[in-house]
Amino acid sequence: MFAPAPQAQPQQGVQFRARAAAKMAAMDLRSGRAFWPLTNGLMYTYPPLAAPEQADVLVIGAGITGALLADALSEAGLDTVVLDRRDAGFGSTSASTALLQYEIDTNLVDLSAMIGRADAERAYHLCRDAIDRVRALTAGLSDDCGFRARGSLYYASTRKDARMLREEHAARTRAGLAVEHLDARELKARFGIQAPAALFSRDGAEVDPYRLTQQLLQRALTRGARVYDRTAVTRLDGGRTWTAHTDRGVPVRAHWVVVATGYEAETFLGRRLAQLKNSYALATEPIAQAGGELWPGAA
Ligand SMILES: Cc1cc2nc3c(=O)[nH]c(=O)nc-3n(C[C@H](O)[C@H](O)[C@H](O)COP(=O)(O)OP(=O)(O)OC[C@H]3O[C@@H](n4cnc5c(N)ncnc54)[C@H](O)[C@@H]3O)c2cc1C
């Protein structure tokens, strides 16, 4: 969610916590506007589906997943159609905090216990390599989409978590991943954060996901792909080929269908797999910090 900055500027040198509290009092914390489309504007428009379509592959969903697929499929020479019920890129992609981290939400230690050490390490390495692939992808576009290498800091809230971080550090080091363990004193000195311990990894990045989505869709268009938004798929009929019925009254026929509808994928699975709760991202004007950076190295 994007919260507009307040009019009044806090005085220099005041503690960050006090300033943040003052800002929050003046902010609209629950604006429904997502940051990335607001900051980029509507970069490109796509028509709604107006006539029946036929393709090798239909991709349902024009978020970052659908855009990556459209780019890869069209590059492989497959005739591709992409549909989205919203404006392209306006799903969860527009609300992302834009961090690219190889650390998936389950620690390597825990993942190893769940699926075995070799597979868990492979998952971590694939995620680590994926960041390099996004770097190469953006380097090949005319717009780097704001890709920047960023360190990432993972800190413990409690002493128990600090023990867990030690084990995680050992597991990642054993797996050949470059990660530093910081004790409380080093963490305070390098990042100004008071916590029992942290892991610091240089292998992270950020990228503007909305811009990247748009640039990938544009590249797919140049290879003959078609993108239609404001067109919802209401029913999928399978047989030798697939027919996707839409709320525009005209269908798309395709040999393959990829469902890239993000958090809304359950509709197509036909069964309840997860319970969605709320998640928030907060954006502010850049905050000047007297005596140093608020986040050293923009970690
Ligand atoms: C607050 C927040 C912060 C996040 N921060 C991060 C982060 O820092 N780093 C990170 O990696 N991830 C982050 N994520 C997760 C990330 O945003 C998603 O994993 C990613 O954007 C998913 O992209 P997607 O293309 O799969 O889905 P979406 O962007 O949601 O795209 C799916 C598209 O499918 C369309 N669709 C749905 N149903 C239909 C239908 N029936 N017919 C046609 N179209 C349909 C939707 O309109 C939508 O545009 C965050 C998520 C949230 C909510």
Side-chain angles (χ1 to χ4, degrees):
M1 300 299 185
F2 179 64
Q7 297 302 309
Q9 291 299 310
Q11 286 179 340
Q12 289 242 319
V14 181
Q15 285 291 308
F16 166 64
R17 204 173 296 190
R19 287 198 283 165
K23 278 183 174 232
M24 284 181 183
M27 280 196 286
D28 172 11
L29 285 176
R30 307 177 90 205
S31 80
R33 286 161 289 156
F35 178 74
W36 299 109
L38 197 65
T39 197
N40 285 296
L42 197 61
M43 293 176 70
Y44 300 100
T45 58
Y46 307 88
L49 187 70
E53 263 282 12
Q54 199 139 10
D56 293 327
V57 190
L58 166 65
V59 177
I60 309 175
I64 187 62
T65 308
L68 285 163
L69 283 161
D71 185 56
L73 293 167
S74 61
E75 189 186 21
L78 289 159
D79 186 40
T80 305
V81 163
V82 183
L83 294 184
D84 200 296
R85 61 192 279 255
R86 301 186 175 83
D87 284 299
F90 271 66
S92 63
T93 293
S94 68
S96 167
T97 325
L99 309 172
L100 299 178
Q101 291 178 287
Y102 74 82
E103 297 98 337
I104 50 182
D105 289 343
T106 305
N107 282 334
L108 180 57
V109 169
D110 300 323
L111 195 63
S112 299
M114 287 160 72
I115 63 170
R117 185 175 145 195
D119 285 350
E121 289 184 355
R122 180 169 146 73
Y124 263 66
H125 277 286
L126 287 172
C127 291
R128 161 74 192 73
D129 295 347
I131 296 175
D132 285 338
R133 292 181 69 180
V134 177
R135 183 201 310 269
L137 193 69
T138 55
L141 295 165
S142 54
D143 171 0
D144 72 2
C145 300
F147 183 95
R148 301 286 178 271
R150 298 289 188 217
S152 106
L153 190 72
Y154 179 35
Y155 70 83
S157 312
T158 64
R159 284 187 195 290
K160 191 166 145 263
D161 291 342
R163 270 199 304 280
M164 176 273 287
L165 281 192
R166 273 242 170 259
E167 289 168 28
E168 183 64 15
H169 177 249
R172 287 204 211 162
T173 305
R174 198 168 52 227
L177 294 157
V179 68
E180 279 179 73
H181 182 272
L182 308 181
D183 62 22
R185 198 180 45 77
E186 288 169 298
L187 179 60
K188 178 77 181 148
R190 281 174 59 180
F191 290 92
I193 290 173
Q194 197 117 38
L199 295 184
F200 177 65
S201 162
R202 290 184 194 281
D203 295 333
E206 66 180 44
V207 72
D208 177 336
Y210 176 77
R211 232 157 91 195
L212 183 55
T213 298
Q214 299 297 341
Q215 301 301 5
L216 292 172
L217 291 175
Q218 289 298 308
R219 186 157 75 177
L221 288 179
T222 66
R223 298 180 184 135
R226 277 91 67 212
V227 179
Y228 303 97
D229 62 12
R230 288 156 295 134
T231 304
V233 173
T234 51
R235 208 180 81 219
L236 262 181
D237 287 337
R240 212 168 56 81
T241 57
W242 291 89
T243 302
H245 302 273
T246 70
D247 63 350
R248 294 281 170 178
V250 279
V252 177
R253 291 195 173 80
H255 292 294
W256 295 280
V257 175
V258 183
V259 176
T261 54
Y263 294 102
E264 293 162 309
E266 264 188 6
T267 324
F268 292 92
L269 294 171
R271 65 192 170 108
R272 199 81 200 271
L273 285 177
Q275 199 188 349
L276 293 179
K277 299 207 170 161
N278 296 316
S279 149
Y280 300 90
L282 187 90
T284 73
E285 295 277 318
I287 297 171
Q289 175 83 335
E293 287 175 289
L294 181 61
W295 292 105

